[in-house]
Amino acid sequence: MSRKNVSKMELGSLAEWVTGLAEFIAVIVALFLPFFRERREKKQTTLHLISIGLKLAHRILKEKARAPEQDLTELADFEFFTRYVSTVTIINSEHQVFLVLTQIADLLDQVQQAELSVSQAEVQLKNLTPKKLREVKA
């Protein structure tokens, strides 16, 4: 080989560069797409679990408003809520779900102890809505 041939390197055509870049991008997307999908699914699951807890709490408070003299622990929805919280905290490792469900349980306990009225508890529950949680997580 002559010295001339060694010093000249072919950079390739524009089409080869575009193809190489497209392949590189495809590999990057293939590597990271599952991560982003899993993250999105985890967020949706978290919001769904919290939404269920909030709906149950609203039902409990509505029932308490209809019958203020009734003990919360005697309500079927309250029993279901406590079972739901226990089950979710066992099977779901997301810390935010645990925190929000615990806050809901504390609110219901304050209503039971007559530290909060039903209307005050409703206002505080609205601050825990999934829409507000999405804004915090985003």
Side-chain angles (χ1 to χ4, degrees), residues 13-34:
S13 68
L14 180 62
E16 290 172 338
W17 275 92
V18 169
T19 302
L21 183 61
E23 288 175 1
F24 176 75
I25 291 171
V27 169
I28 296 299
V29 168
L31 289 173
F32 290 102
L33 190 60

mmCIF file of all heavy atoms in Angstrom, residues 13-34:
data_model
loop_
_atom_site.group_PDB
_atom_site.id
_atom_site.type_symbol
_atom_site.label_atom_id
_atom_site.label_comp_id
_atom_site.label_asym_id
_atom_site.label_seq_id
_atom_site.Cartn_x
_atom_site.Cartn_y
_atom_site.Cartn_z
ATOM 1 N N SER A 13 -21.084 8.454 2.332
ATOM 2 C CA SER A 13 -22.051 9.373 1.743
ATOM 3 C C SER A 13 -23.018 9.869 2.810
ATOM 4 O O SER A 13 -23.081 9.349 3.922
ATOM 5 C CB SER A 13 -22.829 8.657 0.632
ATOM 6 O OG SER A 13 -23.652 7.660 1.204
ATOM 7 N N LEU A 14 -23.782 10.879 2.424
ATOM 8 C CA LEU A 14 -24.791 11.430 3.327
ATOM 9 C C LEU A 14 -25.818 10.362 3.698
ATOM 10 O O LEU A 14 -26.263 10.271 4.847
ATOM 11 C CB LEU A 14 -25.464 12.647 2.681
ATOM 12 C CG LEU A 14 -26.543 13.321 3.506
ATOM 13 C CD1 LEU A 14 -25.955 13.862 4.799
ATOM 14 C CD2 LEU A 14 -27.204 14.431 2.708
ATOM 15 N N ALA A 15 -26.180 9.529 2.762
ATOM 16 C CA ALA A 15 -27.150 8.457 3.007
ATOM 17 C C ALA A 15 -26.632 7.478 4.067
ATOM 18 O O ALA A 15 -27.389 7.021 4.936
ATOM 19 C CB ALA A 15 -27.469 7.721 1.712
ATOM 20 N N GLU A 16 -25.365 7.152 4.022
ATOM 21 C CA GLU A 16 -24.778 6.249 5.024
ATOM 22 C C GLU A 16 -24.805 6.893 6.413
ATOM 23 O O GLU A 16 -25.058 6.228 7.408
ATOM 24 C CB GLU A 16 -23.347 5.882 4.629
ATOM 25 C CG GLU A 16 -23.270 4.974 3.429
ATOM 26 C CD GLU A 16 -21.847 4.778 2.928
ATOM 27 O OE1 GLU A 16 -20.976 5.636 3.210
ATOM 28 O OE2 GLU A 16 -21.617 3.763 2.255
ATOM 29 N N TRP A 17 -24.519 8.197 6.465
ATOM 30 C CA TRP A 17 -24.555 8.903 7.740
ATOM 31 C C TRP A 17 -25.972 8.956 8.311
ATOM 32 O O TRP A 17 -26.189 8.738 9.498
ATOM 33 C CB TRP A 17 -24.017 10.334 7.571
ATOM 34 C CG TRP A 17 -22.514 10.386 7.683
ATOM 35 C CD1 TRP A 17 -21.620 10.300 6.675
ATOM 36 C CD2 TRP A 17 -21.768 10.503 8.884
ATOM 37 N NE1 TRP A 17 -20.350 10.363 7.158
ATOM 38 C CE2 TRP A 17 -20.403 10.493 8.522
ATOM 39 C CE3 TRP A 17 -22.093 10.628 10.229
ATOM 40 C CZ2 TRP A 17 -19.381 10.593 9.449
ATOM 41 C CZ3 TRP A 17 -21.061 10.735 11.150
ATOM 42 C CH2 TRP A 17 -19.741 10.708 10.758
ATOM 43 N N VAL A 18 -26.925 9.243 7.469
ATOM 44 C CA VAL A 18 -28.320 9.294 7.912
ATOM 45 C C VAL A 18 -28.767 7.906 8.402
ATOM 46 O O VAL A 18 -29.406 7.778 9.443
ATOM 47 C CB VAL A 18 -29.240 9.822 6.786
ATOM 48 C CG1 VAL A 18 -30.714 9.637 7.136
ATOM 49 C CG2 VAL A 18 -28.931 11.275 6.500
ATOM 50 N N THR A 19 -28.407 6.874 7.668
ATOM 51 C CA THR A 19 -28.756 5.508 8.063
ATOM 52 C C THR A 19 -28.118 5.158 9.409
ATOM 53 O O THR A 19 -28.763 4.593 10.290
ATOM 54 C CB THR A 19 -28.304 4.499 6.981
ATOM 55 O OG1 THR A 19 -28.926 4.838 5.751
ATOM 56 C CG2 THR A 19 -28.665 3.077 7.379
ATOM 57 N N GLY A 20 -26.864 5.498 9.565
ATOM 58 C CA GLY A 20 -26.174 5.218 10.828
ATOM 59 C C GLY A 20 -26.799 5.966 11.998
ATOM 60 O O GLY A 20 -26.981 5.404 13.081
ATOM 61 N N LEU A 21 -27.141 7.205 11.782
ATOM 62 C CA LEU A 21 -27.790 8.003 12.828
ATOM 63 C C LEU A 21 -29.154 7.425 13.181
ATOM 64 O O LEU A 21 -29.512 7.320 14.359
ATOM 65 C CB LEU A 21 -27.921 9.466 12.377
ATOM 66 C CG LEU A 21 -28.518 10.424 13.394
ATOM 67 C CD1 LEU A 21 -27.655 10.490 14.652
ATOM 68 C CD2 LEU A 21 -28.662 11.811 12.787
ATOM 69 N N ALA A 22 -29.917 7.016 12.179
ATOM 70 C CA ALA A 22 -31.235 6.421 12.418
ATOM 71 C C ALA A 22 -31.103 5.114 13.219
ATOM 72 O O ALA A 22 -31.903 4.853 14.136
ATOM 73 C CB ALA A 22 -31.950 6.163 11.100
ATOM 74 N N GLU A 23 -30.104 4.316 12.893
ATOM 75 C CA GLU A 23 -29.881 3.074 13.643
ATOM 76 C C GLU A 23 -29.495 3.375 15.086
ATOM 77 O O GLU A 23 -29.947 2.700 16.017
ATOM 78 C CB GLU A 23 -28.800 2.234 12.960
ATOM 79 C CG GLU A 23 -29.251 1.608 11.666
ATOM 80 C CD GLU A 23 -28.139 0.870 10.941
ATOM 81 O OE1 GLU A 23 -26.982 0.823 11.448
ATOM 82 O OE2 GLU A 23 -28.415 0.339 9.853
ATOM 83 N N PHE A 24 -28.668 4.371 15.297
ATOM 84 C CA PHE A 24 -28.261 4.761 16.648
ATOM 85 C C PHE A 24 -29.478 5.204 17.465
ATOM 86 O O PHE A 24 -29.653 4.792 18.615
ATOM 87 C CB PHE A 24 -27.212 5.880 16.573
ATOM 88 C CG PHE A 24 -26.803 6.410 17.910
ATOM 89 C CD1 PHE A 24 -25.958 5.670 18.736
ATOM 90 C CD2 PHE A 24 -27.261 7.642 18.363
ATOM 91 C CE1 PHE A 24 -25.586 6.153 19.971
ATOM 92 C CE2 PHE A 24 -26.893 8.130 19.602
ATOM 93 C CZ PHE A 24 -26.046 7.378 20.416
ATOM 94 N N ILE A 25 -30.322 6.037 16.868
ATOM 95 C CA ILE A 25 -31.529 6.509 17.552
ATOM 96 C C ILE A 25 -32.457 5.341 17.861
ATOM 97 O O ILE A 25 -33.041 5.264 18.946
ATOM 98 C CB ILE A 25 -32.238 7.607 16.723
ATOM 99 C CG1 ILE A 25 -31.375 8.877 16.707
ATOM 100 C CG2 ILE A 25 -33.634 7.895 17.255
ATOM 101 C CD1 ILE A 25 -31.849 9.949 15.750
ATOM 102 N N ALA A 26 -32.593 4.406 16.932
ATOM 103 C CA ALA A 26 -33.448 3.232 17.152
ATOM 104 C C ALA A 26 -32.953 2.400 18.334
ATOM 105 O O ALA A 26 -33.758 1.908 19.146
ATOM 106 C CB ALA A 26 -33.505 2.387 15.890
ATOM 107 N N VAL A 27 -31.664 2.259 18.468
ATOM 108 C CA VAL A 27 -31.098 1.498 19.591
ATOM 109 C C VAL A 27 -31.364 2.215 20.908
ATOM 110 O O VAL A 27 -31.776 1.590 21.893
ATOM 111 C CB VAL A 27 -29.577 1.269 19.387
ATOM 112 C CG1 VAL A 27 -28.923 0.735 20.651
ATOM 113 C CG2 VAL A 27 -29.345 0.312 18.230
ATOM 114 N N ILE A 28 -31.178 3.515 20.933
ATOM 115 C CA ILE A 28 -31.429 4.298 22.149
ATOM 116 C C ILE A 28 -32.897 4.187 22.556
ATOM 117 O O ILE A 28 -33.216 3.949 23.726
ATOM 118 C CB ILE A 28 -31.031 5.789 21.945
ATOM 119 C CG1 ILE A 28 -29.528 5.912 21.692
ATOM 120 C CG2 ILE A 28 -31.451 6.641 23.135
ATOM 121 C CD1 ILE A 28 -28.643 5.421 22.824
ATOM 122 N N VAL A 29 -33.800 4.339 21.597
ATOM 123 C CA VAL A 29 -35.236 4.230 21.891
ATOM 124 C C VAL A 29 -35.567 2.833 22.403
ATOM 125 O O VAL A 29 -36.307 2.674 23.376
ATOM 126 C CB VAL A 29 -36.077 4.591 20.643
ATOM 127 C CG1 VAL A 29 -37.536 4.212 20.831
ATOM 128 C CG2 VAL A 29 -35.951 6.080 20.350
ATOM 129 N N ALA A 30 -35.018 1.815 21.764
ATOM 130 C CA ALA A 30 -35.287 0.436 22.184
ATOM 131 C C ALA A 30 -34.786 0.168 23.605
ATOM 132 O O ALA A 30 -35.403 -0.592 24.349
ATOM 133 C CB ALA A 30 -34.641 -0.542 21.208
ATOM 134 N N LEU A 31 -33.709 0.805 23.986
ATOM 135 C CA LEU A 31 -33.167 0.610 25.331
ATOM 136 C C LEU A 31 -33.984 1.322 26.401
ATOM 137 O O LEU A 31 -34.194 0.806 27.496
ATOM 138 C CB LEU A 31 -31.716 1.091 25.398
ATOM 139 C CG LEU A 31 -30.686 0.244 24.677
ATOM 140 C CD1 LEU A 31 -29.326 0.936 24.689
ATOM 141 C CD2 LEU A 31 -30.572 -1.129 25.312
ATOM 142 N N PHE A 32 -34.458 2.527 26.104
ATOM 143 C CA PHE A 32 -35.111 3.340 27.126
ATOM 144 C C PHE A 32 -36.632 3.318 27.098
ATOM 145 O O PHE A 32 -37.269 3.702 28.075
ATOM 146 C CB PHE A 32 -34.603 4.789 27.055
ATOM 147 C CG PHE A 32 -33.193 4.927 27.514
ATOM 148 C CD1 PHE A 32 -32.156 5.047 26.602
ATOM 149 C CD2 PHE A 32 -32.888 4.905 28.868
ATOM 150 C CE1 PHE A 32 -30.847 5.162 27.036
ATOM 151 C CE2 PHE A 32 -31.587 5.021 29.304
ATOM 152 C CZ PHE A 32 -30.558 5.147 28.384
ATOM 153 N N LEU A 33 -37.254 2.871 26.028
ATOM 154 C CA LEU A 33 -38.711 2.854 25.940
ATOM 155 C C LEU A 33 -39.359 2.012 27.037
ATOM 156 O O LEU A 33 -40.328 2.466 27.659
ATOM 157 C CB LEU A 33 -39.157 2.393 24.551
ATOM 158 C CG LEU A 33 -40.634 2.565 24.243
ATOM 159 C CD1 LEU A 33 -41.023 4.032 24.330
ATOM 160 C CD2 LEU A 33 -40.941 2.017 22.857
ATOM 161 N N PRO A 34 -38.856 0.812 27.330
ATOM 162 C CA PRO A 34 -39.473 0.044 28.424
ATOM 163 C C PRO A 34 -39.413 0.768 29.771
ATOM 164 O O PRO A 34 -40.356 0.699 30.560
ATOM 165 C CB PRO A 34 -38.651 -1.243 28.472
ATOM 166 C CG PRO A 34 -38.061 -1.373 27.124
ATOM 167 C CD PRO A 34 -37.839 0.036 26.641
#
